[in-house]
Amino acid sequence: MASNACTFQNLTLLLIICLPLSTSIDFNYPAVFNFGDSNSDTGGLVAGLAEALDPPNGQIYFQKPSGRFCDGRLIIDFLMDAMDLPFLNAYLDSIAAPSFRRGCNFAAAGSTILPATASSVSPFSFGIQVAQFFRFKAKVEDIQAKTRKYDKYIPAQDYFQKGLYMFDIGQNDLAGAFYSKTLDQILASIPTILLEFEHGIQSLYDGGARNFWIHNTGPLGCLPQNIAKFGTDPSKLDELGCVSSHNQASRLLNLQLRALCKKLQGQYPDANVTYVDIFTIKSNLIANYSRYGFEQPLMACCGYGGPPLNYDSRIACGQTKVLNGSSVTAKGCNDSTEYVNWDGIHYTEAANQYVASQVLTGKYSDPPFADKMPFLLKLKF
């Protein structure tokens, strides 16, 4: 993937050339507190539900499953790296005294913004994650009032106000709804979903949070899982081969999320609210995959079934099961850097790296940013 490597090596130069400034962006954060689903889960669901995540998950960077639904690092890992901060430990991962000094990750795979139901993949919906944050904060304050012995493991008191609060959630509210609701019903539910999200943001603001970084939802219709289930009729697909209805729902959610961010920017003049257009970055990657060094935009690297999607909902990446009387394994491909999609639902490390590089240009943010980043010369990819 030589062309990709070249792109990332030249990123610093590209960022320095970008000149539009925004005084509201300051990336010198002492800590990051993250809320989300599998797109930014660094081990929450695996720890919380004792979920099994088999090899080849984690093979690229960690050389073993790391609690991430990926062959390596996630977008959030690259963003933390760019800010010269350590990878975030999951709130629920308590073994071996993980350090939460520079932040904490409340994200859990399968999580929704709306409260979880009995059939939800994850019980850790957005409201629960916000509640976990407040328990975490109260516990930190309680420990600090008693002793300074654990200071190297927990955030300093002012980190809660000065820290960055990141959000990447909402994908599962839409994706799950398509199994039981019509497109019109799903589109009509979006204001309710975003009202729940607004309540969570408001709680965090009332608790002292001032820096909000909100990712929108990617093109759901381009995930092999959704193409396999809802795209069997070619008339349901768009020009990229993605399910039109799913991408329509993603676009409407994002339109209303952007409006909410604008509202919050006006409502909280002492806060920084940044909206990040992940949908456009990912759509561009899928549409122009070969330009960025990829060979497979829609086929899963780790799966079962072969082309065109290599995805079978009955068997997850790394698992071995008996299907139609035969024992089969969902194996990884030879070179995951050639694939945008990892397992039918999540992106590969190579794709996540590309997305992070685009996020860091500032072009896809509202308000935009470019020059106010102390990590410009520290980029490690």
Side-chain angles (χ1 to χ4, degrees):
M1 213 166 97
S3 59
N4 244 18
C6 178
T7 300
F8 299 129
Q9 285 166 5
N10 292 332
L11 179 60
T12 302
L13 179 60
L14 291 172
L15 285 168
I16 291 170
I17 291 169
C18 277
L19 293 176
L21 303 181
S22 169
T23 53
S24 66
I25 300 293
D26 174 11
F27 268 81
N28 198 14
Y29 298 109
V32 173
F33 304 99
N34 184 70
F35 306 81
D37 52 32
S38 57
N39 290 314
S40 60
D41 178 2
T42 56
L45 190 74
V46 169
L49 298 186
E51 287 276 328
L53 200 55
D54 302 307
N57 285 290
Q59 66 179 9
I60 290 284
Y61 182 81
F62 302 97
Q63 275 86 56
K64 62 180 181 179
S66 68
R68 294 159 174 80
F69 290 77
C70 184
D71 57 327
R73 290 163 289 183
L74 307 177
I75 294 167
I76 189 169
D77 293 318
F78 290 109
L79 296 180
M80 294 298 290
D81 212 19
M83 287 187 277
D84 214 22
L85 293 172
F87 294 162
L88 286 178
N89 287 311
Y91 169 72
L92 293 165
D93 200 0
S94 57
I95 303 300
S99 174
F100 297 108
R101 176 72 176 167
R102 307 307 293 270
C104 185
N105 194 359
F106 301 91
S111 295
T112 51
I113 292 174
L114 293 176
T117 64
S119 61
S120 296
V121 172
S122 164
F124 307 112
S125 56
F126 184 53
I128 298 294
Q129 292 181 26
V130 171
Q132 288 174 331
F133 165 80
F134 282 112
R135 185 182 186 278
F136 173 83
K137 185 170 182 257
K139 193 80 173 171
V140 167
E141 290 168 348
D142 185 46
I143 291 169
Q144 287 170 337
K146 294 175 182 173
T147 177
R148 313 305 300 185
K149 192 165 69 171
Y150 302 106
D151 280 3
K152 67 178 179 178
Y153 298 110
I154 56 178
Q157 192 51 240
D158 62 342
Y159 285 12
F160 290 106
Q161 184 176 354
K162 293 177 180 176
L164 181 64
Y165 291 73
M166 297 182 74
F167 307 86
D168 193 330
I169 195 166
Q171 176 172 307
N172 294 315
D173 293 86
L174 299 181
F178 274 99
Y179 288 85
S180 59
K181 295 179 179 177
T182 66
L183 176 61
D184 285 344
Q185 288 173 323
I186 293 166
L187 299 182
S189 73
I190 288 173
T192 305
I193 295 169
L194 291 182
L195 188 61
E196 182 78 13
F197 183 69
E198 184 178 2
H199 288 157
I201 296 286
Q202 194 160 12
S203 295
L204 292 167
Y205 176 85
D206 291 342
R210 289 299 180 268
N211 303 300
F212 300 93
W213 178 271
I214 300 169
H215 285 182
N216 73 6
T217 290
L220 267 183
C222 298
L223 299 177
Q225 180 190 56
N226 293 326
I227 301 171
K229 173 71 176 176
F230 301 97
T232 51
D233 179 351
S235 69
K236 306 284 189 191
L237 303 177
D238 64 17
E239 66 281 0
L240 297 178
C242 305
V243 186
S244 301
S245 57
H246 283 62
N247 282 354
Q248 186 182 340
S250 298
R251 285 190 184 96
L252 186 63
L253 177 78
N254 292 340
L255 197 67
Q256 294 186 27
L257 178 61
R258 187 168 199 161
L260 172 59
C261 288
K262 286 285 190 191
K263 174 187 169 186
L264 295 172
Q265 287 164 359
Q267 193 172 317
Y268 303 136
D270 62 333
N272 298 316
V273 180
T274 303
Y275 169 90
V276 186
D277 187 4
I278 297 293
F279 183 96
T280 295
I281 297 172
K282 288 184 172 179
S283 297
N284 180 48
L285 171 59
I286 289 163
N288 302 291
Y289 63 94
S290 59
R291 185 187 301 173
Y292 305 116
F294 294 89
E295 294 182 15
Q296 296 291 345
L298 299 178
M299 186 162 79
C301 165
C302 185
Y304 175 73
L309 297 173
N310 195 36
Y311 178 81
D312 189 316
S313 61
R314 298 170 295 178
I315 180 167
C317 172
Q319 289 185 349
T320 298
K321 285 189 175 180
V322 175
L323 298 183
N324 305 321
S326 300
S327 177
V328 298
T329 301
K331 296 177 180 176
C333 57
N334 290 331
D335 185 358
S336 61
T337 65
E338 296 176 352
Y339 288 69
V340 170
N341 196 280
W342 169 239
D343 59 3
I345 306 168
H346 310 100
Y347 283 51
T348 59
E349 174 179 282
N352 287 331
Q353 187 177 42
Y354 168 79
V355 174
S357 76
Q358 295 305 295
V359 168
L360 291 168
T361 65
K363 293 188 299 185
Y364 299 94
S365 296
D366 181 10
F369 66 89
D371 188 62
K372 303 282 286 185
M373 299 187 287
F375 57 72
L376 269 180
L377 299 175
K378 299 179 191 170
L379 285 173
K380 299 179 177 68
F381 54 87

